[in-house]
């Protein structure tokens, strides 16, 4: 999430969300009208978003750029 500011806004389409098995899998959380949920999760070299980065403007493009240059390693 390098270059992505805290509090950035993203484009969501669906009203459902996932519930991760482990808190350590959560990379981002979103607060929507008081409901806080995981909006990006990952484990190992897998990373998934609940929102649409391709429709989320500059912050979405930053996430996609980071993904394209990611070496698949998780920083400790």
């Amino acid at each position: 999430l390098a270059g992505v500011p805290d509090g950035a806004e993203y484009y969501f389409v669906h009203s459902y969300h996932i519930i991760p098995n482990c808190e350590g899998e959560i990379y981002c959380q979103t607060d929507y009208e008081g409901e806080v949920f995981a909006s990006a999760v990952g484990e190992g070299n897998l990373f998934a978003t609940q929102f649409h980065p391709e429709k989320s403007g500059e912050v979405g493009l930053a996430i996609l750029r980071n993904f394209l240059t990611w070496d698949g390693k998780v920083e400790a």
Side-chain angles (χ1 to χ4, degrees):
L1 298 173
V4 178
D6 288 342
E9 294 186 4
Y10 305 95
Y11 181 83
F12 289 83
V13 175
H14 308 289
S15 59
Y16 59 85
H17 61 87
I18 62 166
I19 301 173
N21 291 327
C22 175
E23 289 278 326
E25 297 171 347
I26 300 172
Y27 280 79
C28 297
Q29 291 184 313
T30 296
D31 182 337
Y32 182 74
E33 296 185 357
E35 178 77 22
V36 178
F37 58 92
S39 53
V41 295
E43 182 178 12
N45 65 351
L46 176 69
F47 184 81
T49 63
Q50 178 68 37
F51 56 90
H52 289 263
E54 76 282 5
K55 294 184 176 188
S56 297
E58 289 299 318
V59 294
L61 291 175
I63 289 172
L64 292 173
R65 260 191 306 277
N66 289 342
F67 180 74
L68 291 173
T69 59
W70 184 33
D71 63 6
K73 296 178 183 174
V74 178
E75 296 179 18

Coordinates of all heavy atoms in Angstrom, one line a residue:
L1 N 0.8 -1.2 0.0 CA 0.0 0.0 0.0 C 0.9 1.3 0.0 O 0.4 2.3 0.4 CB -1.0 0.0 1.2 CG -2.0 -1.2 1.2 CD1 -2.8 -1.2 2.5 CD2 -2.9 -1.1 0.0
A2 N 2.1 1.1 -0.5 CA 3.0 2.3 -0.6 C 2.4 3.4 -1.4 O 1.9 3.1 -2.5 CB 4.3 1.8 -1.1
G3 N 2.4 4.6 -0.9 CA 1.9 5.7 -1.7 C 0.4 5.9 -1.6 O -0.1 6.8 -2.3
V4 N -0.2 5.1 -0.8 CA -1.7 5.2 -0.7 C -2.0 5.8 0.7 O -1.6 5.2 1.7 CB -2.4 3.8 -0.8 CG1 -3.9 3.9 -0.6 CG2 -2.1 3.2 -2.1
P5 N -2.5 7.0 0.8 CA -2.7 7.7 2.0 C -3.8 7.0 2.9 O -4.8 6.4 2.3 CB -3.2 9.1 1.6 CG -3.7 8.9 0.3 CD -3.0 7.8 -0.4
D6 N -3.7 7.1 4.2 CA -4.8 6.6 5.1 C -6.0 7.5 4.8 O -5.9 8.7 4.5 CB -4.4 6.8 6.6 CG -3.4 5.9 7.0 OD1 -3.2 4.8 6.4 OD2 -2.7 6.1 8.1
G7 N -7.2 6.9 4.9 CA -8.4 7.6 4.6 C -8.8 7.7 3.2 O -9.7 8.4 2.8
A8 N -8.0 7.1 2.3 CA -8.3 7.2 0.8 C -9.7 6.5 0.6 O -10.1 5.7 1.3 CB -7.2 6.4 0.0
E9 N -10.3 7.0 -0.5 CA -11.7 6.5 -0.8 C -11.6 5.6 -2.0 O -10.8 5.8 -2.9 CB -12.6 7.6 -1.1 CG -12.9 8.4 0.2 CD -13.9 9.5 0.0 OE1 -14.5 9.6 -1.1 OE2 -14.2 10.3 1.0
Y10 N -12.4 4.5 -2.0 CA -12.4 3.5 -3.1 C -13.8 3.3 -3.6 O -14.8 3.6 -3.0 CB -11.8 2.2 -2.5 CG -10.5 2.3 -1.9 CD1 -10.3 2.5 -0.5 CD2 -9.3 2.3 -2.7 CE1 -9.1 2.7 0.1 CE2 -8.1 2.5 -2.1 CZ -8.0 2.6 -0.7 OH -6.7 2.8 -0.1
Y11 N -13.8 2.7 -4.8 CA -15.1 2.4 -5.5 C -15.6 1.0 -5.1 O -14.9 0.0 -5.5 CB -14.9 2.6 -7.0 CG -16.2 2.4 -7.8 CD1 -17.1 3.4 -7.9 CD2 -16.4 1.1 -8.4 CE1 -18.3 3.2 -8.7 CE2 -17.6 0.9 -9.1 CZ -18.5 1.9 -9.2 OH -19.6 1.8 -10.0
F12 N -16.7 0.9 -4.5 CA -17.4 -0.3 -4.1 C -18.6 -0.5 -5.0 O -19.3 0.5 -5.2 CB -17.8 -0.4 -2.6 CG -16.6 -0.5 -1.7 CD1 -15.9 0.6 -1.3 CD2 -16.2 -1.7 -1.2 CE1 -14.8 0.6 -0.5 CE2 -15.2 -1.8 -0.3 CZ -14.5 -0.7 0.1
V13 N -19.0 -1.7 -5.3 CA -20.2 -2.0 -6.1 C -21.2 -2.8 -5.2 O -22.4 -2.5 -5.2 CB -19.9 -2.7 -7.4 CG1 -21.2 -3.1 -8.1 CG2 -19.0 -1.9 -8.3
H14 N -20.6 -3.8 -4.5 CA -21.5 -4.7 -3.8 C -21.7 -4.3 -2.4 O -20.9 -3.6 -1.8 CB -20.8 -6.1 -3.8 CG -20.5 -6.5 -5.2 ND1 -21.4 -6.9 -6.2 CD2 -19.3 -6.6 -5.8 CE1 -20.8 -7.2 -7.3 NE2 -19.5 -7.0 -7.1
S15 N -22.8 -4.8 -1.8 CA -23.1 -4.5 -0.4 C -22.7 -5.6 0.6 O -22.9 -5.5 1.7 CB -24.6 -4.2 -0.2 OG -25.3 -5.4 -0.6
Y16 N -22.0 -6.6 0.0 CA -21.6 -7.7 0.9 C -20.1 -7.6 1.2 O -19.4 -6.8 0.5 CB -21.8 -9.1 0.3 CG -21.2 -9.3 -1.1 CD1 -19.9 -9.7 -1.2 CD2 -21.9 -9.0 -2.2 CE1 -19.3 -9.9 -2.4 CE2 -21.3 -9.2 -3.5 CZ -20.0 -9.6 -3.6 OH -19.4 -9.8 -4.8
H17 N -19.5 -8.3 2.2 CA -18.1 -8.2 2.5 C -17.7 -9.6 3.1 O -18.5 -10.3 3.6 CB -17.8 -7.1 3.4 CG -18.5 -7.1 4.7 ND1 -17.9 -7.8 5.8 CD2 -19.6 -6.6 5.1 CE1 -18.7 -7.7 6.8 NE2 -19.8 -7.0 6.4
I18 N -16.4 -9.8 3.0 CA -15.8 -11.0 3.6 C -15.6 -10.9 5.1 O -15.5 -9.7 5.6 CB -14.5 -11.4 2.9 CG1 -13.5 -10.4 3.1 CG2 -14.8 -11.7 1.4 CD1 -12.1 -10.8 2.7
I19 N -15.5 -12.0 5.8 CA -15.0 -12.0 7.2 C -13.8 -12.9 7.2 O -13.9 -14.1 7.1 CB -16.2 -12.5 8.1 CG1 -17.4 -11.6 8.0 CG2 -15.7 -12.6 9.5 CD1 -18.6 -12.1 8.7
P20 N -12.6 -12.3 7.3 CA -11.4 -13.1 7.3 C -11.3 -14.0 8.5 O -11.8 -13.7 9.6 CB -10.3 -12.1 7.4 CG -10.9 -10.8 7.0 CD -12.3 -10.9 7.4
N21 N -10.6 -15.1 8.4 CA -10.3 -16.1 9.4 C -9.4 -15.5 10.5 O -9.4 -16.0 11.6 CB -9.8 -17.4 8.9 CG -10.8 -18.1 8.1 OD1 -12.0 -18.1 8.4 ND2 -10.4 -18.8 7.1
C22 N -8.5 -14.6 10.1 CA -7.4 -14.2 10.9 C -7.2 -12.7 10.8 O -7.2 -12.2 9.7 CB -6.1 -14.9 10.6 SG -4.7 -14.4 11.4
E23 N -7.1 -12.0 11.9 CA -6.8 -10.5 11.8 C -5.6 -10.2 11.0 O -5.5 -9.2 10.4 CB -6.7 -10.0 13.3 CG -7.9 -9.9 14.1 CD -8.8 -8.7 13.7 OE1 -8.3 -7.7 13.4 OE2 -10.0 -8.9 13.8
G24 N -4.6 -11.1 11.0 CA -3.3 -10.8 10.3 C -3.5 -10.8 8.8 O -2.6 -10.5 8.1
E25 N -4.6 -11.3 8.3 CA -4.9 -11.3 6.9 C -5.4 -10.0 6.4 O -5.5 -9.8 5.2 CB -5.9 -12.4 6.5 CG -5.4 -13.8 6.8 CD -6.5 -14.8 6.7 OE1 -7.7 -14.5 6.6 OE2 -6.2 -16.0 6.7
I26 N -5.8 -9.1 7.3 CA -6.4 -7.8 6.9 C -5.4 -6.8 6.6 O -4.6 -6.4 7.4 CB -7.4 -7.3 8.0 CG1 -8.5 -8.3 8.3 CG2 -8.0 -6.0 7.6 CD1 -9.3 -8.0 9.5
Y27 N -5.4 -6.2 5.4 CA -4.5 -5.1 5.0 C -5.2 -3.8 5.0 O -4.6 -2.8 5.3 CB -4.0 -5.4 3.5 CG -2.9 -6.4 3.4 CD1 -3.1 -7.7 3.5 CD2 -1.6 -5.9 3.3 CE1 -2.1 -8.6 3.4 CE2 -0.5 -6.8 3.2 CZ -0.8 -8.2 3.3 OH 0.2 -9.1 3.2
C28 N -6.5 -3.8 4.8 CA -7.3 -2.5 4.8 C -8.6 -2.8 5.4 O -9.2 -3.9 5.2 CB -7.5 -2.0 3.4 SG -6.1 -1.5 2.5
Q29 N -9.1 -1.8 6.1 CA -10.5 -1.8 6.6 C -11.2 -0.6 6.2 O -10.6 0.5 6.0 CB -10.5 -1.9 8.2 CG -10.0 -3.2 8.7 CD -10.2 -3.2 10.2 OE1 -9.8 -2.3 10.9 NE2 -10.7 -4.3 10.7
T30 N -12.5 -0.7 6.0 CA -13.3 0.4 5.6 C -14.4 0.6 6.6 O -15.0 -0.3 7.1 CB -13.9 0.1 4.2 OG1 -12.9 0.0 3.2 CG2 -14.9 1.2 3.7
D31 N -14.7 1.9 6.8 CA -15.8 2.3 7.7 C -16.9 2.9 6.8 O -16.7 4.0 6.3 CB -15.4 3.2 8.8 CG -16.5 3.6 9.7 OD1 -17.7 3.5 9.4 OD2 -16.2 4.1 10.8
Y32 N -18.0 2.2 6.7 CA -19.1 2.7 5.9 C -20.3 2.9 6.7 O -20.9 1.9 7.2 CB -19.4 1.8 4.7 CG -20.5 2.3 3.8 CD1 -20.3 3.4 2.9 CD2 -21.8 1.8 3.8 CE1 -21.3 3.9 2.1 CE2 -22.8 2.3 3.0 CZ -22.5 3.4 2.2 OH -23.5 3.9 1.4
E33 N -20.7 4.1 7.1 CA -21.8 4.4 7.9 C -21.8 3.6 9.2 O -22.8 3.1 9.7 CB -23.1 4.1 7.1 CG -23.3 5.0 5.9 CD -24.7 4.9 5.3 OE1 -25.5 4.0 5.7 OE2 -24.9 5.6 4.3
G34 N -20.6 3.5 9.8 CA -20.5 2.9 11.1 C -20.2 1.4 11.1 O -19.9 0.8 12.1
E35 N -20.3 0.8 9.9 CA -20.0 -0.6 9.7 C -18.5 -0.7 9.3 O -18.1 -0.3 8.2 CB -20.9 -1.3 8.7 CG -20.6 -2.7 8.4 CD -21.1 -3.6 9.5 OE1 -22.0 -3.2 10.3 OE2 -20.6 -4.8 9.6
V36 N -17.6 -1.3 10.1 CA -16.2 -1.5 9.8 C -16.0 -2.9 9.3 O -16.4 -3.9 9.9 CB -15.3 -1.2 11.0 CG1 -13.9 -1.4 10.6 CG2 -15.6 0.2 11.5
F37 N -15.4 -3.1 8.1 CA -15.2 -4.4 7.5 C -13.9 -4.4 6.8 O -13.3 -3.4 6.4 CB -16.3 -4.8 6.6 CG -16.5 -3.8 5.4 CD1 -15.9 -4.0 4.2 CD2 -17.4 -2.7 5.6 CE1 -16.1 -3.1 3.2 CE2 -17.6 -1.8 4.6 CZ -16.9 -2.0 3.4
A38 N -13.4 -5.6 6.6 CA -12.1 -5.8 5.8 C -12.4 -5.6 4.3 O -13.3 -6.1 3.8 CB -11.6 -7.3 6.0
S39 N -11.6 -4.7 3.7 CA -11.8 -4.4 2.3 C -10.6 -4.8 1.5 O -10.7 -4.7 0.3 CB -12.0 -2.9 2.2 OG -11.1 -2.1 2.8
A40 N -9.5 -5.2 2.1 CA -8.4 -5.8 1.4 C -7.7 -6.8 2.3 O -7.5 -6.5 3.5 CB -7.3 -4.7 1.0
V41 N -7.5 -8.0 1.8 CA -6.9 -9.1 2.6 C -5.8 -9.7 1.8 O -5.7 -9.6 0.6 CB -8.0 -10.2 2.9 CG1 -9.1 -9.6 3.8 CG2 -8.6 -10.8 1.7
G42 N -4.9 -10.4 2.6 CA -3.8 -11.1 1.9 C -3.2 -12.2 2.8 O -3.4 -12.1 4.0
E43 N -2.6 -13.1 2.2 CA -1.9 -14.2 2.9 C -0.8 -14.7 1.9 O -1.1 -15.0 0.8 CB -2.8 -15.3 3.3 CG -2.1 -16.4 4.1 CD -2.9 -17.5 4.6 OE1 -4.1 -17.6 4.1 OE2 -2.5 -18.3 5.3
G44 N 0.4 -14.7 2.4 CA 1.5 -15.1 1.5 C 1.6 -14.2 0.4 O 1.7 -13.0 0.6
N45 N 1.7 -14.7 -0.8 CA 1.8 -13.8 -2.0 C 0.4 -13.6 -2.7 O 0.3 -13.2 -3.8 CB 2.7 -14.4 -3.0 CG 2.3 -15.7 -3.6 OD1 1.3 -16.3 -3.2 ND2 3.0 -16.2 -4.6
L46 N -0.7 -13.7 -1.9 CA -2.0 -13.5 -2.4 C -2.6 -12.2 -1.8 O -2.4 -12.0 -0.6 CB -2.9 -14.6 -2.0 CG -4.4 -14.5 -2.4 CD1 -4.6 -14.5 -3.9 CD2 -5.2 -15.6 -1.8
F47 N -3.1 -11.3 -2.7 CA -3.7 -10.1 -2.2 C -5.0 -9.9 -2.9 O -5.1 -10.0 -4.1 CB -2.8 -8.9 -2.5 CG -3.2 -7.6 -2.0 CD1 -3.0 -7.2 -0.7 CD2 -3.8 -6.7 -2.8 CE1 -3.4 -6.0 -0.2 CE2 -4.3 -5.4 -2.3 CZ -4.0 -5.1 -1.0
A48 N -6.1 -9.5 -2.2 CA -7.4 -9.4 -2.8 C -8.1 -8.2 -2.2 O -8.0 -7.9 -1.0 CB -8.3 -10.6 -2.6
T49 N -8.9 -7.5 -3.0 CA -9.6 -6.3 -2.6 C -11.1 -6.5 -2.8 O -11.6 -7.2 -3.7 CB -9.2 -5.0 -3.4 OG1 -9.6 -5.2 -4.7 CG2 -7.8 -4.7 -3.2
Q50 N -11.9 -6.0 -1.9 CA -13.4 -6.0 -2.0 C -13.8 -4.9 -2.9 O -14.9 -5.0 -3.5 CB -14.0 -5.8 -0.6 CG -15.5 -5.8 -0.5 CD -16.1 -7.1 -0.9 OE1 -15.5 -8.2 -0.5 NE2 -17.2 -7.1 -1.6
F51 N -13.0 -3.9 -3.1 CA -13.4 -2.7 -3.9 C -12.7 -2.9 -5.3 O -12.0 -3.9 -5.5 CB -12.9 -1.4 -3.3 CG -11.4 -1.4 -3.0 CD1 -10.5 -1.0 -3.9 CD2 -11.0 -1.9 -1.7 CE1 -9.2 -1.0 -3.6 CE2 -9.6 -1.9 -1.4 CZ -8.7 -1.4 -2.4
H52 N -13.0 -2.0 -6.2 CA -12.5 -2.0 -7.5 C -11.4 -1.0 -7.7 O -11.6 0.2 -7.8 CB -13.6 -1.7 -8.5 CG -14.6 -2.8 -8.7 ND1 -14.5 -3.7 -9.7 CD2 -15.7 -3.1 -7.9 CE1 -15.5 -4.5 -9.6 NE2 -16.2 -4.2 -8.5
P53 N -10.1 -1.5 -7.6 CA -9.0 -0.5 -7.7 C -9.0 0.2 -9.1 O -8.6 1.4 -9.2 CB -7.7 -1.3 -7.5 CG -8.1 -2.7 -7.5 CD -9.6 -2.8 -7.3
E54 N -9.4 -0.5 -10.2 CA -9.4 0.0 -11.5 C -10.4 1.2 -11.7 O -10.3 2.0 -12.6 CB -9.6 -1.0 -12.6 CG -11.1 -1.5 -12.7 CD -11.6 -2.5 -11.6 OE1 -10.9 -2.8 -10.7 OE2 -12.7 -2.9 -11.8
K55 N -11.3 1.3 -10.7 CA -12.3 2.4 -10.8 C -12.2 3.4 -9.6 O -13.1 4.2 -9.4 CB -13.7 1.8 -10.8 CG -14.1 1.0 -12.0 CD -15.5 0.5 -11.9 CE -15.8 -0.2 -13.2 NZ -17.3 -0.5 -13.3
S56 N -11.0 3.3 -8.9 CA -10.8 4.1 -7.7 C -9.9 5.2 -7.9 O -9.2 5.7 -6.9 CB -10.4 3.2 -6.6 OG -11.3 2.2 -6.3
G57 N -9.7 5.7 -9.1 CA -8.9 6.9 -9.3 C -7.4 6.7 -9.1 O -6.9 5.6 -9.2
E58 N -6.8 7.8 -8.6 CA -5.3 7.7 -8.4 C -4.9 6.7 -7.3 O -3.9 6.0 -7.5 CB -4.8 9.1 -8.0 CG -4.8 10.1 -9.2 CD -4.0 9.6 -10.3 OE1 -2.8 9.1 -10.1 OE2 -4.4 9.8 -11.5
V59 N -5.7 6.6 -6.2 CA -5.3 5.6 -5.2 C -5.4 4.2 -5.8 O -4.6 3.3 -5.4 CB -6.1 5.7 -3.9 CG1 -5.8 7.1 -3.2 CG2 -7.6 5.6 -4.1
G60 N -6.4 3.9 -6.6 CA -6.5 2.6 -7.2 C -5.4 2.3 -8.1 O -4.8 1.2 -8.2
L61 N -5.0 3.3 -8.9 CA -3.8 3.1 -9.8 C -2.6 2.9 -9.0 O -1.7 2.1 -9.5 CB -3.7 4.4 -10.7 CG -4.8 4.6 -11.7 CD1 -4.6 5.9 -12.5 CD2 -4.8 3.4 -12.7
A62 N -2.4 3.5 -7.9 CA -1.2 3.3 -7.0 C -1.2 1.9 -6.6 O -0.1 1.2 -6.6 CB -1.2 4.3 -5.9
I63 N -2.4 1.3 -6.2 CA -2.4 -0.1 -5.7 C -2.1 -1.0 -6.9 O -1.3 -2.0 -6.7 CB -3.8 -0.4 -5.1 CG1 -4.0 0.3 -3.8 CG2 -4.0 -1.9 -5.0 CD1 -5.4 0.2 -3.2
L64 N -2.6 -0.8 -8.0 CA -2.3 -1.6 -9.2 C -0.8 -1.5 -9.6 O -0.2 -2.5 -9.9 CB -3.2 -1.2 -10.4 CG -4.7 -1.5 -10.2 CD1 -5.5 -1.0 -11.4 CD2 -4.9 -3.0 -10.1
R65 N -0.2 -0.3 -9.5 CA 1.2 -0.2 -9.8 C 2.0 -1.0 -8.8 O 3.0 -1.7 -9.1 CB 1.6 1.3 -9.7 CG 1.7 2.0 -11.0 CD 2.4 3.4 -10.9 NE 1.7 4.3 -10.0 CZ 0.7 5.0 -10.2 NH1 0.1 5.0 -11.4 NH2 0.2 5.8 -9.3
N66 N 1.6 -0.9 -7.5 CA 2.4 -1.6 -6.5 C 2.3 -3.1 -6.7 O 3.2 -3.8 -6.6 CB 1.8 -1.3 -5.1 CG 2.1 0.1 -4.6 OD1 3.0 0.7 -5.1 ND2 1.4 0.6 -3.7
F67 N 1.1 -3.6 -7.1 CA 0.9 -5.0 -7.4 C 1.8 -5.4 -8.6 O 2.4 -6.5 -8.5 CB -0.6 -5.3 -7.7 CG -0.9 -6.7 -8.0 CD1 -0.9 -7.6 -7.0 CD2 -1.1 -7.1 -9.3 CE1 -1.1 -9.0 -7.3 CE2 -1.3 -8.5 -9.6 CZ -1.3 -9.4 -8.6
L68 N 1.9 -4.6 -9.6 CA 2.6 -5.0 -10.8 C 4.1 -5.1 -10.5 O 4.9 -5.8 -11.2 CB 2.4 -4.0 -11.9 CG 1.0 -4.1 -12.6 CD1 0.7 -3.0 -13.6 CD2 0.8 -5.5 -13.2
T69 N 4.6 -4.3 -9.5 CA 6.0 -4.3 -9.2 C 6.4 -5.1 -8.0 O 7.5 -5.2 -7.6 CB 6.5 -2.9 -9.0 OG1 5.8 -2.2 -8.0 CG2 6.4 -2.1 -10.3
W70 N 5.4 -5.8 -7.4 CA 5.5 -6.5 -6.1 C 6.3 -7.8 -6.4 O 6.1 -8.5 -7.4 CB 4.2 -6.9 -5.6 CG 4.1 -7.6 -4.3 CD1 5.0 -7.5 -3.3 CD2 3.1 -8.6 -3.9 NE1 4.6 -8.3 -2.2 CE2 3.5 -9.0 -2.6 CE3 2.0 -9.1 -4.5 CZ2 2.7 -9.9 -1.9 CZ3 1.3 -10.0 -3.8 CH2 1.6 -10.4 -2.5
D71 N 7.3 -8.1 -5.6 CA 8.1 -9.4 -5.7 C 7.4 -10.6 -5.1 O 8.0 -11.7 -5.1 CB 9.5 -9.2 -5.2 CG 9.5 -8.9 -3.7 OD1 8.5 -9.0 -3.0 OD2 10.6 -8.6 -3.2
G72 N 6.2 -10.4 -4.5 CA 5.5 -11.6 -3.9 C 5.9 -11.9 -2.5 O 5.3 -12.7 -1.9
K73 N 6.9 -11.1 -2.0 CA 7.3 -11.3 -0.6 C 6.5 -10.4 0.3 O 6.2 -9.3 0.0 CB 8.8 -11.0 -0.5 CG 9.7 -12.0 -1.3 CD 11.1 -11.6 -1.2 CE 11.9 -12.6 -2.1 NZ 13.3 -12.2 -2.1
V74 N 6.3 -10.9 1.5 CA 5.6 -10.1 2.5 C 6.6 -9.6 3.5 O 7.4 -10.3 4.0 CB 4.6 -11.0 3.3 CG1 3.9 -10.2 4.4 CG2 3.6 -11.6 2.3
E75 N 6.5 -8.3 3.7 CA 7.5 -7.6 4.7 C 7.0 -7.9 6.1 O 5.8 -7.9 6.4 CB 7.5 -6.1 4.4 CG 8.0 -5.7 3.1 CD 8.0 -4.2 2.8 OE1 7.9 -3.5 3.8 OE2 8.1 -3.8 1.7
A76 N 8.0 -8.2 6.9 CA 7.7 -8.5 8.3 C 7.5 -7.2 9.1 O 8.0 -6.2 8.8 CB 8.7 -9.3 8.9

